[in-house]
C-alpha cells in the first residue's frame, strides 16, 4: 500500500465517530479563524495608538484580544479532548480487531508470534498509532486551516503581500524538505557504517583466541582503521553540506526578508501601506512560522509511523482459519479412530507423528505416556482439529473429523489441563464460561459440588459471585483445577482430555481424585500423563515414543492393572 492508501484506510476506521469528528472540525475552524482575526486586531490596535490616539479604542481592542484568547482556550480544550476521545476509541477498535484476528488464526501461526515477540510488538504499534499518528493528522489539518486563514487575512489587508507569501511559503517548505531528506539519508548511511564498525569490533573480541594465536592483531587494526576512515569521510561530507546549508538557508531568509521589506517600503512611499497594516502583515508572517515548521516535519513523522501501520494492517489482513466441516451430528457417542496419522514438521525432516493407528471405544479410558511435549500438544491439537494431519484421517463416531463443523467438535470435547488459569473475574463465570455462560445457577452449583469446589466457594464472601484474581492471592492451583473440573462437569461432553492433571502433586488429594473418578465415568477419556495414575478405571495404556505407538496394553482386571501400572511406572 502507498502512504496515502494506508492513512486513508486508517481514517476510514474513524467513520463511526462522525459526531466527535464534527466537533473537532468545528473547533479547528474556530481556532483557525481566531488566529486569522488576531492580525486584524493588531492592525486596529496600532491604528488606535499611532493614528487615532484613542485610549478607549485601545482598551476595547485589548479586551477583544483577551476574549479572543479565552475563546481559543475553550475550543482548544474541545479539540484536544475529542481528538483524545476518538484516538482512544480507535485504539480500542484496533485492539479488538487484533484480538479477533488473533483467536481465529491457524494454530501453527502462534509459534511464530510467541517466538518473535510479535504480540508485544503489534500491541505497542497500536498504542503508538492511536497516541501519536492520529494527533499528527489532526495537527496537520489544524495547521493547514491556520495557514489558509492567515493567507486570507493577508489577502484582505494587502494583495501584493499575499501573493509574495503564496510564492515564498512553498519555496520555504521545499528547501526545508530537501535539506531534511539529504540529512536523513546521510544519517542512515552513517548508522550502517557505524554498525559495521561495531560488528567488526565485537567479532574481534569474540574471536580473540584465534586472532592472537595467528598473530592477526595488526590485520584487525588495519581493517578497523579502513572502516573508521570510511566513517570519517562520510561525516566530513555531511559536515560540508551542513557548512553550505546553514549559510545558504540564512542567505535565502535574508533575501526573502529584504524582498518583503522592499515591497512594504514601496507601498509605504506610495501611501498604499499604513503603519498599522505593516504591523499586521508582520504579525501574519510571524504567525505563519510555527505552522509551516510543523507541516514541514509532519511528513517525516507520518513516514516514520508508516511501518507500524503497515505491520498492523498486514496482521489484520491475515486469512483466518476456515471451517471446512459441514456435518452436524445430533448425538456423539465418543468413538475416536486414528488411521495412519502422520504429521510433518515444517522445520525438521523427521515427522512429529508417524503411522499412528489407534481405536478408542466409547466410554473407554486410556492413558498415553512416553511422549514429548511437542508430540502431546500436536496430538491434542489434531483431536481438536486445530491442526490437520499431513496424512491419514481421524474419525469421530465413523465420521471424518474434517467433515464435522468445528463448533460441533468443540461442544463435544472437554479439556482439563495442569496449568489452568482464570477465564473470568467471577467464580461462576469460570465455571459457566463461553458457550455455557447462559447456564443457570442450579447447574453451576451442581457442577461445583461434583468437583468438590463448593467446599471452598462457600467460604468466599459472595459465593459463586465472588470476584477473584489471577495473582494467586485469593485462589490456589488446586482450586483452579477444581474449577476446571467443574467446567467439564457443566459441559458434560462425551469426550474428555486430561492434560497432565496427574503430573502435579495436587491431584493426589482425595477430593481431586474422587472428582476425577466421577468425571471420567461414561466418557471417552484420554489421559496424558507420564506416570500411570492410580485410578479405579483404566482400560488401556498407550506408549507414544518417537512419534509412534510402541505399546498398547489391553484391558485387564483391577489387580492386574495396578501391578502392571507399578511395573510401567518404574
Amino acid at each position: 500500500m502507498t502512504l496515502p492508501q494506508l492513512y486513508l484506510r486508517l481514517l476510514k476506521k474513524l467513520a463511526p465517530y462522525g459526531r466527535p469528528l464534527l466537533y473537532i472540525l468545528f473547533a479547528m475552524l474556530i481556532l483557525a479563524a481566531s488566529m486569522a482575526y488576531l492580525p486584524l486586531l493588531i492592525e486596529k490596535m496600532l491604528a488606535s495608538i499611532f493614528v487615532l490616539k484613542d485610549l478607549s479604542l485601545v482598551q476595547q481592542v485589548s479586551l477583544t484580544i483577551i476574549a479572543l484568547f479565552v475563546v481559543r482556550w475553550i475550543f482548544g480544550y474541545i479539540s484536544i479532548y475529542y481528538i483524545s476521545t476518538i484516538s482512544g476509541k480507535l485504539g480500542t477498535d484496533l485492539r479488538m480487531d487484533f484480538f479477533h484476528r488473533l483467536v481465529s488464526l491457524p494454530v501453527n501461526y502462534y509459534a511464530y508470534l510467541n517466538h518473535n515477540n510479535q504480540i508485544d510488538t503489534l500491541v505497542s504499534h497500536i498504542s503508538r498509532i492511536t497516541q501519536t499518528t492520529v494527533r499528527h493528522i489532526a495537527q496537520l489539518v489544524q495547521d493547514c486551516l491556520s495557514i489558509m486563514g492567515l493567507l486570507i487575512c493577508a489577502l484582505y489587508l494587502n494583495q501584493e503581500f499575499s501573493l509574495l507569501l503564496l510564492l515564498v511559503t512553498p519555496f520555504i517548505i521545499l528547501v526545508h524538505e530537501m535539506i531534511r531528506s539529504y540529512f536523513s539519508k546521510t544519517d542512515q548511511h552513517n548508522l550502517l557504517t557505524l554498525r559495521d564498525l561495531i560488528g567488526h569490533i565485537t567479532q574481534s573480541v569474540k574471536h580473540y583466541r584465534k586472532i592472537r594465536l595467528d598473530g592477526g592483531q595488526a590485520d584487525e587494526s588495519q581493517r578497523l582503521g579502513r572502516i573508521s576512515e570510511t566513517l570519517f569521510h562520510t561525516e566530513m561530507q555531511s559536515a560540508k553540506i551542513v557548512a553550505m546549508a546553514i549559510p545558504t538557508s540564512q542567505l535565502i531568509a535574508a533575501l526573502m526578508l529584504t524582498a518583503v521589506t522592499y515591497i512594504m517600503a514601496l507601498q509605504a512611499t506610495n501611501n498604499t501601506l499604513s503603519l498599522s497594516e505593516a504591523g499586521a502583515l508582520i504579525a501574519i508572517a510571524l504567525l505563519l512560522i510555527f505552522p509551516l515548521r510543523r507541516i514541514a516535519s509532519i511528513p517525516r513523522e507520518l513516514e516514520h509511523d508508516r511501518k507500524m501501520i503497515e505491520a498492523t494492517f498486514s496482521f489484520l489482513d491475515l486469512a483466518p482459519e476456515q471451517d471446512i466441516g459441514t456435518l452436524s451430528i445430533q448425538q456423539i457417542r465418543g468413538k475416536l479412530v486414528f488411521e495412519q496419522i502422520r504429521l510433518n514438521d515444517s522445520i525438521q525432516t523427521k515427522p512429529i507423528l508417524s503411522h499412528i493407528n489407534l481405536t478408542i471405544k466409547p466410554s473407554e479410558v486410556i492413558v498415553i505416556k512416553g511422549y514429548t511435549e511437542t508430540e502431546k500438544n500436536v496430538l491434542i491439537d489434531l483431536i481438536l482439529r486445530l491442526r490437520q494431519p499431513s496424512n491419514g484421517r481421524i474419525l469421530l463416531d465413523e465420521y471424518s473429523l474434517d467433515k464435522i463443523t468445528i463448533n460441533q467438535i468443540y461442544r463435544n470435547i472437554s479439556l482439563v489441563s495442569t496449568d489452568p488459569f482464570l477465564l473470568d473475574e467471577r467464580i461462576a463465570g469460570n465455571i459457566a464460561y463461553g458457550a455455557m455462560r447462559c447456564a443457570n445457577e442450579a447447574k453451576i452449583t451442581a457442577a461445583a459440588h461434583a468437583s468438590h469446589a463448593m467446599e471452598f466457594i462457600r467460604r468466599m464472601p459472595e459465593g459463586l459471585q465472588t470476584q477473584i484474581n489471577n495473582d494467586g492471592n485469593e485462589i490456589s492451583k488446586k482450586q483452579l483445577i477444581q474449577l476446571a473440573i467443574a467446567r467439564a462437569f457443566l459441559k458434560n461432553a462425551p469426550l474428555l482430555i486430561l492434560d497432565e492433571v496427574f503430573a502435579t502433586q495436587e491431584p493426589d488429594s482425595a477430593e481431586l481424585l474422587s472428582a476425577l473418578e466421577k468425571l471420567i465415568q461414561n466418557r471417552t477419556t484420554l489421559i496424558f500423563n507420564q506416570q500411570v495414575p492410580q485410578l479405579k478405571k483404566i482400560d488401556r495404556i498407550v506408549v507414544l515414543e518417537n512419534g509412534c505407538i510402541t505399546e498398547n496394553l489391553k484391558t485387564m482386571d483391577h489387580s492386574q492393572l495396578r501391578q502392571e501400572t507399578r511395573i510401567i511406572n518404574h
Side-chain angles (χ1 to χ4, degrees):
M1 279 190 180
T2 62
L3 188 64
Q5 288 174 330
L6 277 175
Y7 281 98
L8 182 61
R9 181 175 177 182
L10 183 64
L11 291 174
K12 285 181 179 178
K13 302 286 288 184
L14 301 176
Y17 310 111
R19 181 173 292 181
L21 287 173
L22 287 176
Y23 292 156
I24 293 170
L25 182 59
F26 179 71
M28 286 182 172
L29 288 172
I30 296 296
L31 290 171
S34 64
M35 180 176 283
Y37 188 53
L38 183 60
L40 298 178
L41 291 176
I42 292 174
E43 191 266 340
K44 287 184 179 180
M45 175 71 77
L46 293 174
S48 62
I49 295 173
F50 295 103
V51 179
L52 301 176
K53 301 185 185 298
D54 187 345
L55 183 60
S56 62
L57 186 58
V58 171
Q59 294 173 345
Q60 181 181 351
V61 174
S62 299
L63 291 175
T64 305
I65 292 174
I66 293 173
L68 184 69
F69 278 97
V70 171
V71 170
R72 285 184 59 81
W73 179 86
I74 293 171
F75 284 94
Y77 172 82
I78 293 173
S79 176
I80 294 172
Y81 174 79
Y82 281 105
I83 288 171
S84 300
T85 299
I86 65 168
S87 64
K89 289 183 183 247
L90 175 63
T92 301
D93 292 343
L94 287 175
R95 279 187 282 269
M96 291 305 298
D97 291 344
F98 166 76
F99 182 72
H100 290 154
R101 179 62 67 231
L102 182 66
V103 297
S104 66
L105 288 175
V107 69
N108 55 3
Y109 198 81
Y110 294 154
Y112 166 76
L113 290 175
N114 292 328
H115 180 70
N116 295 281
N117 294 323
Q118 286 295 305
I119 294 177
D120 294 345
T121 303
L122 288 168
V123 171
S124 299
H125 285 350
I126 291 173
S127 297
R128 165 78 180 180
I129 290 168
T130 56
Q131 290 174 6
T132 61
T133 306
V134 173
R135 287 177 173 80
H136 288 155
I137 296 173
Q139 188 65 62
L140 178 63
V141 174
Q142 179 67 76
D143 288 337
C144 288
L145 291 174
S146 299
I147 291 171
M148 289 173 59
L150 289 171
L151 290 177
I152 291 172
C153 180
L155 188 64
Y156 171 77
L157 291 171
N158 192 295
Q159 293 183 358
E160 293 181 4
F161 187 81
S162 302
L163 293 174
L164 181 63
L165 284 179
L166 286 173
L167 292 173
V168 168
T169 300
F171 182 72
I172 294 173
I173 296 176
L174 179 62
V175 172
H176 184 276
E177 281 301 301
M178 288 176 61
I179 295 174
R180 184 203 61 79
S181 177
Y182 178 81
F183 282 132
S184 177
K185 292 179 181 179
T186 305
D187 290 341
Q188 291 178 2
H189 186 268
N190 289 347
L191 183 60
L192 291 174
T193 307
L194 187 60
R195 285 179 180 174
D196 190 22
L197 178 62
I198 294 172
H200 282 294
I201 293 174
T202 304
Q203 183 179 359
S204 300
V205 173
K206 184 178 179 180
H207 301 286
Y208 68 93
R209 288 196 185 101
K210 184 171 181 57
I211 293 173
R212 292 194 180 188
L213 183 63
D214 295 337
Q217 293 95 326
D219 293 338
E220 289 297 311
S221 298
Q222 291 177 2
R223 183 170 59 171
L224 294 175
R226 288 193 296 270
I227 299 173
S228 298
E229 192 70 20
T230 303
L231 184 61
F232 169 74
H233 285 304
T234 306
E235 290 174 346
M236 286 304 301
Q237 187 176 2
S238 300
K240 291 178 183 178
I241 298 298
V242 171
M244 287 290 295
I246 293 177
T248 302
S249 61
Q250 292 174 347
L251 177 61
I252 293 172
L255 290 174
M256 289 189 296
L257 181 61
T258 303
V260 170
T261 305
Y262 180 74
I263 291 175
M264 293 177 67
L266 283 178
Q267 292 183 348
T269 303
N270 297 328
N271 295 321
T272 57
L273 181 68
S274 64
L275 176 64
S276 58
E277 289 177 346
L281 293 174
I282 292 172
I284 290 173
L286 293 175
L287 289 173
L288 279 171
I289 292 174
F290 290 107
L292 287 173
R293 289 179 63 181
R294 284 194 295 265
I295 285 179
S297 63
I298 280 178
R300 178 180 55 189
E301 299 292 341
L302 296 181
E303 183 66 32
H304 178 266
D305 296 343
R306 174 179 182 170
K307 292 182 179 179
M308 294 185 293
I309 300 174
E310 281 182 336
T312 302
F313 284 136
S314 296
F315 179 84
L316 296 179
D317 291 338
L318 290 173
E321 188 173 29
Q322 299 296 324
D323 184 7
I324 59 176
T326 56
L327 292 177
S328 181
I329 306 170
Q330 294 297 325
Q331 186 175 3
I332 290 179
R333 296 180 298 115
K335 182 180 179 181
L336 201 58
V337 179
F338 298 84
E339 293 183 350
Q340 292 293 322
I341 292 298
R342 177 187 177 93
L343 184 72
N344 296 324
D345 191 348
S346 58
I347 300 175
Q348 300 177 357
T349 56
K350 182 181 178 181
I352 300 174
L353 298 177
S354 180
H355 304 296
I356 300 294
N357 290 288
L358 182 64
T359 299
I360 305 171
K361 300 175 182 177
S363 302
E364 188 175 14
V365 179
I366 71 166
V367 176
I368 302 175
K369 58 172 300 198
Y371 50 80
T372 64
E373 188 71 15
T374 301
E375 291 168 349
K376 178 201 72 173
N377 291 331
V378 163
L379 187 55
I380 293 176
D381 286 346
L382 287 173
I383 296 171
L384 300 178
R385 218 186 80 186
L386 297 173
R387 297 177 190 262
Q388 295 295 334
S390 304
N391 297 101
R393 63 175 184 165
I394 301 175
L395 302 177
L396 179 60
D397 283 1
E398 310 302 335
Y399 298 98
S400 180
L401 199 65
D402 60 352
K403 302 297 183 185
I404 306 173
T405 60
I406 195 68
N407 289 332
Q408 183 81 2
I409 294 172
Y410 292 162
R411 280 196 298 268
N412 288 278
I413 300 177
S414 293
L415 173 65
V416 180
S417 63
T418 189
D419 57 344
F421 60 95
L422 292 178
L423 302 168
D424 193 85
E425 292 82 9
R426 298 175 300 112
I427 291 179
N430 278 277
I431 298 175
Y433 176 73
M436 301 179 289
R437 62 185 176 274
C438 295
N440 57 47
E441 189 166 343
K443 291 182 178 180
I444 297 173
T445 303
H449 276 293
S451 66
H452 298 289
M454 207 63 198
E455 298 176 10
F456 77 85
I457 293 174
R458 286 195 188 97
R459 298 192 295 269
M460 293 290 181
E462 299 177 30
L464 286 168
Q465 304 306 319
T466 302
Q467 297 280 333
I468 51 179
N469 55 44
N470 203 16
D471 59 11
N473 292 329
E474 295 187 13
I475 193 165
S476 66
K477 185 172 183 179
K478 174 186 172 182
Q479 291 167 344
L480 283 172
I481 295 175
Q482 287 176 313
L483 291 180
I485 295 172
R487 190 161 54 249
F489 271 114
L490 182 62
K491 192 172 186 179
N492 196 26
L495 270 75
L496 173 65
I497 299 174
L498 300 180
D499 182 9
E500 297 193 353
V501 177
F502 299 93
T504 64
Q505 295 181 357
E506 298 288 359
D508 290 341
S509 68
E511 292 177 352
L512 285 176
L513 280 174
S514 173
L516 290 169
E517 289 276 11
K518 191 185 301 182
L519 181 63
I520 66 176
Q521 290 178 8
N522 301 319
R523 303 181 204 277
T524 304
T525 306
L526 285 75
I527 302 173
F528 289 87
N529 210 72
Q530 296 294 0
Q531 302 294 325
V532 180
Q534 300 296 319
L535 292 172
K536 295 178 181 178
K537 176 179 170 58
I538 295 178
D539 297 304
R540 271 189 295 165
I541 301 170
V542 174
V543 180
L544 178 62
E545 291 181 329
N546 297 321
C548 303
I549 293 178
T550 58
E551 293 186 62
N552 192 345
L553 305 178
K554 300 295 182 181
T555 307
M556 55 190 74
D557 60 44
H558 187 60
S559 60
Q560 289 176 321
L561 179 60
R562 284 192 175 278
Q563 182 179 0
E564 187 66 35
T565 297
R566 286 193 295 270
I567 295 172
I568 292 175
N569 284 341
H570 295 290

